[in-house]
Amino acid sequence: MSLDDVLSRIDADLSDATDRLIDLLRIPSISTDPAFAQDCDRAADWLVTELSGMGVDVSKRPTPGHPMVVGHAGSGGPHLLFYGHYDVQPVDPLDLWDRDPFDPVIEETPKGRVIRGRGSSDDKGQLMTFVEALRAWKAIKGDWPCRITFFFEGEEESGSPSLVPFMKENVEELKSDIALICDTGLFESKTPAIVTMLRGLLGEELTITAPDKDLHSGMYGGIAMNPIRVLSRIIAALHDDTGRITVPGFYDGVPELSDELEAQWQGLAFDHATFLGDVDLSEPAGEQGRTPLEMIWSRPTCDVNGIWGGYNGDGFKTVLPAMAHAKISFRLVGTQDPLAIRESFRAMVQAALPVDCTVTFQGHGASAASGADTTGAMFEQARAALSAEWGVPAAYVGCGGSIPIAGHFQQITGTEPMLVGFGKDDDAIHSPNEKYDLESFHKGIRSWARILDAVS
Ligand code: BES
Ligand code: ZN
């Protein structure tokens, strides 16, 4: 039985594979919200049942947070580890969804058929691409292509608090020749891509307090310190007029693009007008003097992700608030040190506080940027396999998002990560009406079958 037989099997099984994905998408495994802890557990159970049905020696492994799913199958050849995450982002704002986020359907759209639902692209649909590829392989060939480890996480969207301890405790079990991570996208929604660099992420939440209670702004306005005004000034000062971030020492470890990467990225001819136009924007708003691809792949950023305080209800209230809050994240590149930046950011905020104000901080995850060493033979084998499936040469690209486990594989198990995914820019990951194209799902499954054939 040949690769073509496996590919035909995948084609014939697509409708059943889609039904299975829809089943998984019905489980609201929102990892960040404790109210959905049981659902995370159910999603892990679902994967255990699915994999054991395929003959994988698999179990749900408890952690202080949501469980991991670890499975082993096959022997001989290279040892491949597959990583994906079964948890999803919260769905709010719910009123912007056109349907129940956890009642997925196949929808006809002008651009083709899509599977609509939370987690369809990030990351349940992607995770299932390699499960389905292996299912077809096993069904047709009667055996596994080589030694395979499945490693599925349920806390990726909430900062992976249990991941590093779990990897350290199970380091021997999780060692492999390569870690295949399916949690990224195609380049410009049409070119298959292997991600060679990911940004790191530092999250900070701060609360500035001034008066000891909310006050009447008629009685106290003018004489009393307003913490929202203080917070606004601090936030406004985080960028200078050229878009550079002003936290002292922030740019330590930020490399300039190598000539080789610059040439590679120029060859990609990224169409930033379309990229921005698709979300109703027109002008790149990052650091002056940087190209659009640099802005999203190789430059660090600072974004305010949330800001609140005072009265936000309907109507109006002349309140002088006691507190002001913000959630701020930094995307990191090169060898920027998340903990040093956290310290410097906190010191900068402290130094900017006027008298009578206090600040408290809560850290939310700190991971450094990572890059893949693409010199191993499997990278070119995978690239050829992807090019064959998609009919265009696969590209080596950057990714502005963060997948902290890529760096953990290098540091803890000594494994090189290979990041291949099939998401499209308009999948609306983390947003209302998330979808995954049926084409991504179908050709994603076929891509893994080709990659398995090429590397095993
Ligand atoms: N799948 C994404 C990473 C991603 C983002 C890939 C954008 C391609 C484009 C991943 O699940 C994710 O969202 N990661 C979080 C980090 C995490 C620590 C919360 C992110 O990048 O914000
Ligand atoms: Zn995500």
Side-chain angles (χ1 to χ4, degrees):
M1 289 288 181
S2 67
L3 171 65
D4 280 338
D5 297 310
V6 176
L7 296 176
S8 300
R9 171 69 178 225
I10 289 168
D11 298 347
D13 197 34
L14 182 62
S15 160
D16 287 347
T18 310
D19 287 345
R20 286 187 284 268
L21 171 57
I22 284 181
D23 231 31
L24 176 59
L25 290 172
R26 286 209 178 92
I27 306 173
S29 45
I30 303 171
S31 58
T32 197
D33 185 343
F36 295 88
Q38 267 201 337
D39 295 297
C40 291
D41 212 59
R42 267 208 300 144
D45 285 334
W46 188 94
L47 286 165
V48 167
T49 305
E50 217 40 54
L51 290 177
S52 65
M54 287 163 54
V56 178
D57 176 17
V58 58
S59 58
K60 182 173 77 174
R61 307 278 284 270
T63 76
H66 305 305
M68 308 282 175
V69 173
V70 182
H72 302 284
S75 59
H79 180 185
L80 312 179
L81 181 146
F82 284 99
Y83 166 88
H85 62 93
Y86 66 77
D87 63 318
V88 302
Q89 284 279 332
V91 295
D92 62 282
L94 187 58
D95 55 326
L96 293 186
W97 283 79
D98 297 331
R99 53 176 303 105
D100 179 344
F102 297 109
D103 181 20
V105 280
I106 307 290
E107 242 178 65
E108 296 287 346
T109 76
K111 289 187 188 166
R113 299 174 78 197
V114 308
I115 308 161
R116 178 95 55 200
R118 172 56 89 225
S120 53
S121 175
D122 188 9
D123 182 45
K124 289 172 174 173
Q126 305 240 69
L127 175 157
M128 288 304 286
T129 56
F130 40 61
V131 172
E132 296 298 346
L134 282 158
R135 187 198 306 278
W137 188 287
K138 175 90 185 316
I140 292 299
K141 302 226 185 201
D143 201 359
W144 306 98
C146 54
R147 185 171 167 202
I148 309 275
T149 294
F150 297 88
F151 182 25
F152 298 146
E153 187 196 351
E155 299 185 325
E156 198 272 352
E157 299 290 8
S158 49
S160 303
S162 311
L163 184 63
V164 169
F166 185 85
M167 288 179 79
K168 286 188 172 160
E169 273 161 35
N170 299 280
V171 60
E172 286 310 318
E173 187 181 359
L174 295 172
K175 271 196 176 132
S176 64
D177 294 315
I178 194 141
L180 302 167
I181 299 177
C182 193
D183 196 20
T184 52
L186 302 164
F187 176 67
E188 292 198 316
S189 302
K190 52 186 188 295
T191 304
I194 300 178
V195 168
T196 63
M197 51 200 279
L198 288 159
R199 291 194 288 196
L201 190 62
L202 170 69
E204 282 285 274
E205 180 169 339
L206 64 158
T207 297
I208 295 178
T209 309
D212 70 347
K213 60 175 91 59
D214 282 6
L215 303 173
H216 190 302
S217 72
M219 194 178 304
Y220 288 93
I223 192 169
M225 184 64 73
N226 181 328
I228 295 185
R229 195 173 132 201
V230 174
L231 178 65
S232 310
R233 217 185 51 216
I234 288 171
I235 288 174
L238 285 171
H239 293 86
D240 70 14
D241 290 342
T242 69
R244 274 177 76 88
I245 292 140
T246 55
V247 176
F250 184 75
Y251 286 91
D252 293 353
V254 177
E256 282 303 321
L257 212 54
S258 67
D259 292 345
E260 190 195 343
L261 265 188
E262 195 180 331
Q264 210 178 79
W265 290 2
Q266 258 164 19
L268 292 172
F270 177 60
D271 177 11
H272 73 268
T274 303
F275 183 75
L276 286 175
D278 281 348
V279 290
D280 261 356
L281 297 174
S282 57
E283 278 297 313
E287 287 168 89
Q288 269 173 28
R290 299 289 170 182
T291 66
L293 277 189
E294 280 183 283
M295 287 180 193
I296 52 178
W297 288 350
S298 66
R299 298 300 297 175
T301 64
C302 165
D303 272 300
V304 184
N305 304 115
I307 175 166
W308 70 102
Y311 182 66
N312 299 294
D314 288 339
F316 203 81
K317 182 180 179 190
T318 50
V319 62
L320 198 155
M323 286 185 222
H325 314 261
K327 291 181 196 273
I328 296 177
S329 64
F330 299 89
R331 297 273 169 188
L332 308 178
V333 304
T335 57
Q336 275 182 300
D337 176 353
L339 297 181
I341 291 172
R342 168 169 283 158
E343 213 172 289
S344 176
F345 168 74
R346 291 183 179 187
M348 179 183 176
V349 172
Q350 286 283 6
L353 277 190
V355 66
D356 287 340
C357 288
T358 54
V359 62
T360 54
F361 295 97
Q362 191 187 347
H364 286 280
S367 65
S370 60
D373 173 4
T374 59
T375 51
M378 280 193 226
F379 279 84
E380 276 308 304
Q381 290 163 345
R383 205 156 84 94
L386 286 166
S387 308
E389 175 59 27
W390 293 81
V392 281
Y396 284 123
V397 300
C399 174
S402 307
I403 304 177
I405 196 170
H408 300 328
F409 278 125
Q410 291 168 321
Q411 278 136 32
I412 299 172
T413 58
T415 315
E416 211 47 49
M418 187 196 293
L419 294 125
V420 174
F422 313 99
K424 297 192 178 184
D425 292 340
D426 65 357
D427 279 354
I429 61 172
H430 296 204
S431 298
N433 300 314
E434 179 177 351
K435 59 88 176 162
Y436 197 45
D437 282 20
L438 213 57
E439 184 196 36
S440 292
F441 188 52
H442 185 191
K443 288 174 90 64
I445 301 170
R446 290 174 53 100
S447 297
W448 286 120
R450 287 184 190 270
I451 292 173
L452 286 170
D453 186 60
V455 304
S456 66

